[in-house]
Amino acid sequence: MVRNTAREIAVHLSYELSFTDKSVEELLDERLTPESFAALAEEDPLYQETPNAKQADYIRRLVRGVADHAPELDGYIAKYSKGWSFARIPLVASAIMRVAMYEILYMPDIPHGASINEAVEIAKKYETPETVKFINGILGTFVRQETAE
């Protein structure tokens, strides 16, 4: 499994947090198992390979970080989403931006451009072209305004 696959799984789990009453740890422990991946692999090829320990740690770090920093990340999304009310932003798009913003703010070993490019590529699979452009614009502005890179 490559990092972009692990990142996309983290987006899925971050999105799922919006709909569950499970804690982050319960969700991660339930979803990051060979059994869960085997069950999901029939629906989505993304789950055909169970993450190894390093990949699972990366997914856990991202999903925990997004959950722990959700109000902060949502604040940035709202701040830079000119012309869009936060309620209008699709939940998948929010999950994608939260993961990218968390990487940008709290994972200095990942280049900002890589986080943005991966977010855009993931968005292309799930969102309309208008929303993909919106995500790219927000993340680009966020990096320019909030980081010193």
Side-chain angles (χ1 to χ4, degrees), residues 71-92:
E72 173 192 12
L73 301 172
D74 289 351
Y76 285 124
I77 294 169
K79 178 178 178 180
Y80 294 110
S81 57
K82 305 284 189 246
W84 288 54
S85 70
F86 191 80
R88 183 177 164 221
I89 300 170
L91 290 175
V92 172

Side-chain angles (χ1 to χ4, degrees), residues 93-148:
S94 294
I96 292 167
M97 289 187 284
R98 287 177 187 137
V99 167
M101 287 177 170
Y102 180 79
E103 283 185 337
I104 290 164
L105 290 171
Y106 298 103
M107 299 176 88
D109 55 312
I110 299 174
H112 297 170
S115 294
I116 293 171
N117 289 338
E118 289 297 327
V120 168
E121 290 307 310
I122 292 169
K124 286 177 182 177
K125 290 177 69 173
Y126 302 101
E127 295 293 349
T128 65
E130 177 189 40
T131 303
V132 172
K133 284 172 42 180
F134 171 75
I135 289 169
N136 190 40
I138 284 187
L139 293 175
T141 304
F142 168 75
V143 165
R144 287 189 299 279
Q145 299 292 320
E146 302 295 334
T147 67

Side-chain angles (χ1 to χ4, degrees), residues 28-38 50-51:
L28 289 169
D29 290 345
E30 182 181 294
R31 293 284 185 242
L32 293 178
T33 65
E35 298 78 23
S36 179
F37 271 70
T50 304

Side-chain angles (χ1 to χ4, degrees), residues 2-59:
V2 291
R3 183 172 270 187
N4 60 346
T5 301
R7 185 180 283 114
E8 189 171 348
I9 290 167
V11 167
H12 284 199
L13 294 171
S14 296
Y15 171 77
E16 190 173 344
L17 281 173
S18 304
F19 298 102
T20 185
D21 55 1
K22 294 177 183 160
S23 72
V24 176
E25 293 307 316
E26 287 174 312
L27 181 68
L28 289 169
D29 290 345
E30 182 181 294
R31 293 284 185 242
L32 293 178
T33 65
E35 298 78 23
S36 179
F37 271 70
L40 292 169
E42 296 173 18
E43 297 172 31
D44 190 337
L46 190 67
Y47 292 93
Q48 290 188 349
E49 183 183 344
T50 304
N52 65 30
K54 183 178 178 184
Q55 294 155 342
D57 286 346
Y58 173 72
I59 293 167

